[in-house]
Amino acid sequence: MTALIRKNIMNIYSENLVILDTETTGLKKTEICEICILDHEGNKLIDTLVKPINVIPEEVIKIHGITNEMVNDAPSFEAVYGKILECIKDKKVAIYNARFDKNVLISASKWSAVDPLPFEQMDCVCVMNEYASFYGEPFKKKAGASQPNFFKKQKLINACQQQEIKLDIVAHRAYADCLMTLELIKNTRFKYFG
C-alpha cells in the first residue's frame, strides 16, 4: 500500500468534518426514515427518525429494525430539512457509501418538494471508497462484468473489524453507522500516522 493512498484517508479528519448516515425505505422509491449527523468529535448534531410518505416494506424493516409504528409520530423530511442544511453548511461531509446517501437526500428533497440543490452541491467524501483504497484488497472481476474500481469495497462492519474497532452498538441504524464511520476515520489516521 502506497503512502499516498494511506494519506488520503488520514486527510479526511478535521474540525470541519461532519459524519452523515441515513436509513431508508429501501432501494426503490427511496425515502429517509432516519438520519444522523455527528461532528468531528462524535457529538450528535441531529439524530432523528423521519416519517416517510410511503410505508417501510417488511424486508427493509428486517435490516434496520425501524418500523412504521416507530416513525408514525416522527417529523417529516421537510420538517428536518433546515436543520440538516444547518449541520452541513460549510462542512466536509463524510459518508460511508456517499453516492447512495447523497442520492437519497436528493430524492427525499424531491419527494418533499424542497430544494435538492444543497445536497447536489454538498462537499462530501466517500469513506467507503477511501477505505477500499487504504485497505487495498484487489477487486476480483467477474467474467463479463466491468468494474472501474481497483480495490474491493468493504462493508462498514467488516472495515471496523479489520481495524480492530470494537463498539458496543448495532449496525444499520444511522447513529451507529455514523459512529463506526467516525471511529474508522480516526482509527486509521492515528493508528498509521500518529
Side-chain angles (χ1 to χ4, degrees):
M1 182 178 331
T2 68
L4 180 61
I5 290 172
R6 280 189 165 177
K7 194 170 185 177
N8 286 346
I9 200 162
M10 178 187 93
N11 288 337
I12 294 173
Y13 188 78
S14 74
E15 290 182 7
N16 194 43
L17 181 75
V18 294
I19 313 297
L20 182 146
D21 188 71
T22 64
E23 297 303 327
T24 69
T25 58
L27 301 176
K28 295 180 182 175
K29 296 183 180 178
T30 306
E31 294 181 75
I32 293 171
C33 58
E34 185 176 49
I35 187 165
C36 181
I37 303 174
L38 304 180
D39 69 12
H40 72 286
E41 294 179 336
N43 299 308
K44 291 180 186 178
L45 302 177
I46 186 171
D47 181 22
T48 185
L49 292 169
V50 177
K51 183 175 182 175
I53 295 167
N54 297 296
V55 298
I56 306 168
E58 285 300 318
E59 63 270 14
V60 178
I61 292 170
K62 289 177 184 175
I63 296 169
H64 54 49
I66 301 169
T67 66
N68 290 292
E69 293 76 22
M70 290 168 66
V71 299
N72 197 39
D73 295 324
S76 66
F77 182 78
E78 184 179 6
V80 297
Y81 175 80
K83 177 68 173 172
I84 296 167
L85 295 186
E86 182 183 310
C87 293
I88 66 170
K89 185 180 179 186
D90 300 323
K91 299 289 184 182
K92 178 169 285 297
V93 183
I95 306 170
Y96 207 88
N97 195 357
R99 183 177 177 185
F100 178 78
D101 285 86
K102 187 173 182 176
N103 285 336
V104 166
L105 288 162
I106 292 166
S107 174
S109 298
K110 291 176 181 176
W111 274 103
S112 300
V114 294
D115 187 7
L117 190 63
F119 302 120
E120 292 168 357
Q121 296 178 339
M122 104 179 134
D123 180 15
C124 69
V125 61
C126 182
V127 178
M128 181 175 68
N129 289 343
E130 293 290 333
Y131 183 76
S133 295
F134 172 85
Y135 190 63
E137 181 179 342
F139 178 79
K140 294 181 181 156
K141 187 176 172 181
K142 295 178 183 176
S146 63
Q147 177 67 14
N149 297 331
F150 296 106
F151 300 109
K152 181 179 178 184
K153 293 176 183 171
Q154 307 293 317
K155 291 182 179 180
L156 179 56
I157 191 81
N158 293 347
C160 288
Q161 289 170 349
Q162 290 157 358
Q163 296 305 313
E164 300 175 355
I165 297 169
K166 294 178 179 27
L167 296 169
D168 188 23
I169 53 177
V170 178
H172 300 301
R173 289 298 300 263
Y175 171 68
D177 290 357
C178 278
L179 192 57
M180 285 191 290
T181 300
L182 178 60
E183 289 304 311
L184 183 65
I185 293 167
K186 287 168 41 177
N187 182 278
T188 52
R189 177 176 188 246
F190 296 117
K191 186 184 227 179
Y192 297 100
F193 305 100

